[in-house]
């Protein structure tokens, strides 16, 4: 079920979304939420997150480059800033909500980055290093986008994340089983793919049917529609096409098939990244209905 906020897109209670779809209680409600970046949350939004929903922890899966990009937007004159910024009160508020715990887990970490760099030609590898060293982050990322990411597509990059970001995925899943962390909000920039992947894996542990997991993932298509044009502009800046703003219908099926084929199933995959049976049982206790 999606929840409406002033300035937070793609927000929903994962448990209620799955349970409503299945018409039975399989996932605990009111403990695991997902959304797009909450950076521009209005004062009312912040009160609702903290007081009404009781959220204690926010897990941010974004990269440093994404944080820098958002900081640039916040520092721009209000007339040029995101249309979501509504008032001077909002501008004056810090991005973080006082009293909430924040965890930054860059899910596309060092190993993931090394893999992408290994796919570049020698010329473009040194060109990208030069661009990064001189502060041209967007241009450097665009180079990787055009030579590596576009060839593999959004789903392919999701599968690479599964293979190359095991340590970060395990860290994100551990955040879900810490008693003091709940209720918890997980987000990235769109709350679609990296957030979606963490939610997919957690729901697989809970033995949620694939069609219900797909239903939850696909809700991001409509959940992000209000800022689609702005997102398309961001994707074009880093060399990606409009398809990256969409939710592929087969995303969940491809992830499940990849995990089953390469790792022998979700338990085999999670064993390989160090999220072993005791932690999986704890996740079932915490998130299972």
């Amino acid at each position: 079920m999606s929840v409406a906020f002033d300035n937070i897109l793609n927000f929903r209670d994962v448990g209620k979304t799955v349970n409503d779809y299945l018409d039975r209680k399989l996932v605990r409600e009111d403990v695991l939420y997902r959304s797009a970046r909450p950076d521009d949350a209005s004062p009312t939004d912040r009160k609702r997150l903290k007081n009404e929903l009781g959220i204690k922890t926010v897990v941010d899966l974004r990269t440093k480059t994404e944080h820098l990009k958002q900081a640039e937007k916040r520092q721009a004159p209000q007339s040029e800033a995101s249309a979501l910024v509504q008032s001077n009160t909002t501008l004056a508020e810090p991005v973080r909500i006082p009293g909430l715990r924040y965890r930054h887990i860059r899910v596309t970490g060092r190993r993931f980055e090394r893999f992408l760099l290994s796919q570049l030609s020698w010329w473009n590898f040194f060109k990208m290093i030069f661009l990064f060293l001189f502060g041209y982050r967007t241009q450097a990322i665009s180079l990787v986008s055009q030579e590596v990411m576009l060839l593999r597509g959004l789903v392919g990059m999701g599968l690479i994340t599964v293979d190359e970001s095991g340590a970060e995925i395990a860290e994100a899943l551990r955040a879900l089983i810490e008693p003091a962390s709940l209720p918890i909000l997980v987000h990235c920039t769109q709350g679609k793919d990296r957030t979606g992947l963490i939610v997919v894996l957690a729901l697989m542990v809970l033995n949620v049917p694939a069609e219900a997991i797909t239903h939850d993932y696909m809700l991001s298509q409509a959940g992000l529609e209000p800022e689609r044009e702005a997102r398309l502009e961001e994707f074009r800046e880093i060399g990606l096409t409009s398809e990256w703003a969409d939710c592929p219908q087969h995303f969940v099926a491809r992830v499940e098939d990849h995990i089953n084929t390469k790792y022998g199933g979700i338990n085999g995959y999670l064993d390989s990244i160090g999220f072993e049976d005791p932690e999986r049982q704890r996740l079932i206790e915490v998130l299972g209905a």
Side-chain angles (χ1 to χ4, degrees):
M1 183 190 76
S2 297
V3 178
F5 285 85
D6 293 336
N7 294 340
I8 304 176
L9 296 179
N10 203 23
F11 187 101
R12 56 189 174 274
D13 177 340
V14 174
K16 184 159 181 56
T17 298
V18 168
N19 294 340
D20 285 354
Y21 178 81
L22 294 172
D23 196 27
R24 60 189 172 101
K25 291 285 182 76
L26 194 58
V27 182
R28 189 177 168 195
E29 300 179 8
D30 304 322
V31 292
L32 174 58
Y33 299 93
R34 59 181 293 178
S35 76
R37 58 193 175 209
D39 298 2
D40 295 321
S42 70
T44 300
D45 291 340
R46 298 177 188 194
K47 289 178 182 177
R48 186 172 189 191
L49 288 173
K50 183 178 178 181
N51 301 328
E52 290 185 35
L53 299 179
I55 289 173
K56 295 180 180 177
T57 306
V58 177
V59 176
D60 185 344
L61 305 176
R62 292 177 293 178
T63 65
K64 182 178 180 180
T65 299
E66 289 170 289
H67 282 283
L68 290 172
K69 189 73 174 176
Q70 281 302 106
E72 289 174 3
K73 289 182 178 180
R74 289 194 298 273
Q75 291 167 5
Q78 189 175 356
S79 60
E80 299 176 6
S82 167
L84 295 179
V85 177
Q86 298 293 327
S87 68
N88 289 329
T89 304
T90 303
L91 288 168
E93 289 272 342
V95 172
R96 292 189 171 189
I97 303 170
L100 269 58
R101 178 187 181 197
Y102 284 80
R103 293 191 59 175
H104 180 217
I105 303 172
R106 187 170 54 118
V107 78
T108 48
R110 293 293 184 190
R111 181 173 166 178
F112 177 90
E113 289 180 346
R114 285 196 296 268
F115 175 84
L116 296 190
L117 294 179
S118 73
Q119 305 303 299
L120 292 172
S121 66
W122 279 106
W123 167 251
N124 279 335
F125 174 80
F126 287 113
K127 184 177 180 181
M128 194 221 60
I129 296 297
F130 174 86
L131 289 169
F132 254 107
L133 288 175
F134 285 89
Y136 296 99
R137 284 177 171 267
T138 300
Q139 292 87 337
I141 293 170
S142 180
L143 195 65
V144 177
S145 296
Q146 293 174 46
E147 186 165 338
V148 182
M149 297 175 68
L150 286 176
L151 295 176
R152 289 159 177 81
L154 192 152
V155 175
M157 292 305 299
L159 302 184
I160 290 171
T161 305
V162 168
D163 293 339
E164 303 296 334
S165 296
E168 294 82 4
I169 288 171
E171 184 181 358
L173 291 174
R174 288 189 185 103
L176 306 183
I177 63 175
E178 296 176 5
S181 296
L182 304 175
I184 193 168
L185 169 64
V186 181
H187 77 89
C188 47
T189 292
Q190 301 181 86
K192 177 170 75 77
D193 302 310
R194 286 163 294 183
T195 299
L197 182 58
I198 298 303
V199 171
V200 166
L201 295 173
L203 295 179
M204 287 177 68
V205 174
L206 296 173
N207 289 315
V208 173
E211 63 269 23
I213 303 176
T214 297
H215 169 73
D216 174 68
Y217 173 75
M218 292 302 298
L219 286 176
S220 292
Q221 187 76 34
L224 292 165
E225 189 61 32
E227 65 168 28
R228 180 177 175 82
E229 289 306 314
R231 287 186 296 117
L232 287 175
E233 184 176 340
E234 290 179 1
F235 284 129
R236 294 186 192 108
E237 285 180 1
I238 58 172
L240 295 176
T241 56
S242 61
E243 287 81 4
W244 292 75
D246 294 326
C247 296
Q249 180 71 42
H250 59 294
F251 180 86
V252 173
R254 286 284 305 278
V255 168
E256 288 199 335
D257 181 66
H258 179 75
I259 287 174
N260 290 336
T261 302
K262 185 168 183 175
Y263 301 95
I266 185 63
N267 290 336
Y269 171 68
L270 294 177
D271 280 340
S272 76
I273 67 173
F275 193 77
E276 298 181 345
D277 187 62
E279 290 179 307
R280 295 197 294 272
Q281 291 304 314
R282 176 60 183 157
L283 188 146
I284 292 170
E285 292 171 6
V286 169
L287 296 183

